[in-house]
Amino acid sequence: MFLTCEGTLGIVPATMDYSGQARPGDFHAGYQQIEGINLGYLQINGTQMFALAQVLSDLFKDIPRTTI
């Protein structure tokens, strides 16, 4: 399961891209730093997606999953 990140809180963190130049219909992966935490992502057709499990365990580690 993935979580998309489009315009989240107006934050535009730096990204590290590992695929070279993206073309429409292609996908690429990289890391993006959010709140000082590096999260891996996939970008497919212009939509950046983060693994929900990693977001919950790394970014929202102080919030119980049952609360979310």
Side-chain angles (χ1 to χ4, degrees):
M1 179 172 281
F2 291 94
L3 175 71
T4 62
C5 181
E6 297 179 10
T8 304
L9 304 174
I11 301 171
V12 183
T15 62
M16 294 169 42
D17 184 12
Y18 292 104
S19 70
Q21 187 168 351
R23 296 179 301 264
D26 285 338
F27 71 91
H28 65 274
Y31 288 93
Q32 183 164 350
Q33 189 172 31
I34 300 176
E35 301 279 330
I37 299 168
N38 280 330
L39 297 175
Y41 71 85
L42 291 175
Q43 186 166 341
I44 302 173
N45 293 329
T47 301
Q48 192 173 19
M49 298 180 288
F50 296 91
L52 183 58
Q54 185 181 20
V55 170
L56 293 175
S57 67
D58 294 348
L59 196 58
F60 298 118
K61 60 185 168 197
D62 298 330
I63 300 172
R65 287 187 183 194
T66 55
T67 302
I68 297 171

